Amino acid sequence: MMWQDFIFMIGSSLSIVFLAPTLRDTDAQVPLATSAPSMIIGGVYAFTFATLGMTFSAAGALAACFMWTLISFFRAPRSPYNQSHAVGSFRDRFELFCLDAQYWVDRKRHRNSIPLDSYVSADTTSSIASQAE
């Protein structure tokens, strides 16, 4: 048994401890741009550690991957495509996850086609500032 196996397992366990409050916080919103890559990386690490015979490290990385999966399912912010979508059952959450993932991929693929209503015009900003005075 290699001592490095335990070190990697401890690191993964700490990440699970640090991610738990995010999963418990119902107001938390973690973008898919953060949770999806972390989920994939955790899965790749788990596979890599398993092929190296580092069982504890693989289990820890798989657990971290699972935590990121839960965060991406339950704490992703709603995209403009699904603002009115009511979330209840696991199936609803899975459909919401798929819609958010599709929206995220579309935005990454078409960076120049960001809707204009996503930005505040300079005129609006100056009028808000003058109203505050």
Side-chain angles (χ1 to χ4, degrees):
M1 182 76 44
M2 296 184 294
W3 63 269
Q4 293 93 338
D5 195 13
F6 287 109
I7 298 297
F8 286 126
M9 182 192 67
I10 290 169
S12 296
S13 300
L14 284 175
S15 70
I16 292 167
V17 169
F18 296 139
L19 290 172
T22 302
L23 192 57
R24 285 195 322 245
D25 183 5
T26 58
D27 294 329
Q29 292 188 353
V30 180
L32 284 176
T34 300
S35 58
S38 300
M39 175 179 58
I40 292 168
I41 289 169
V44 170
Y45 281 179
F47 176 76
T48 305
F49 285 137
T51 60
L52 290 172
M54 300 173 76
T55 313
F56 294 112
S57 299
L62 190 61
C65 173
F66 183 69
M67 282 294 282
W68 278 111
T69 302
L70 292 174
I71 288 171
S72 66
F73 264 62
F74 298 111
R75 298 296 173 246
R78 292 177 183 255
S79 70
Y81 290 144
N82 58 24
Q83 287 293 329
S84 63
H85 188 77
V87 178
S89 67
F90 178 79
R91 182 178 178 194
D92 291 338
R93 290 186 185 276
F94 183 72
E95 288 175 3
L96 179 63
F97 173 78
C98 291
L99 285 171
D100 280 342
Q102 181 62 41
Y103 175 72
W104 181 72
V105 168
D106 287 345
R107 281 193 54 215
K108 294 298 178 190
R109 192 177 315 154
H110 307 290
R111 286 192 180 262
N112 295 333
S113 62
I114 298 173
L116 293 177
D117 61 352
S118 298
Y119 299 99
V120 176
S121 69
D123 296 333
T124 306
T125 306
S126 61
S127 67
I128 291 172
S130 64
Q131 288 175 356
E133 295 174 354

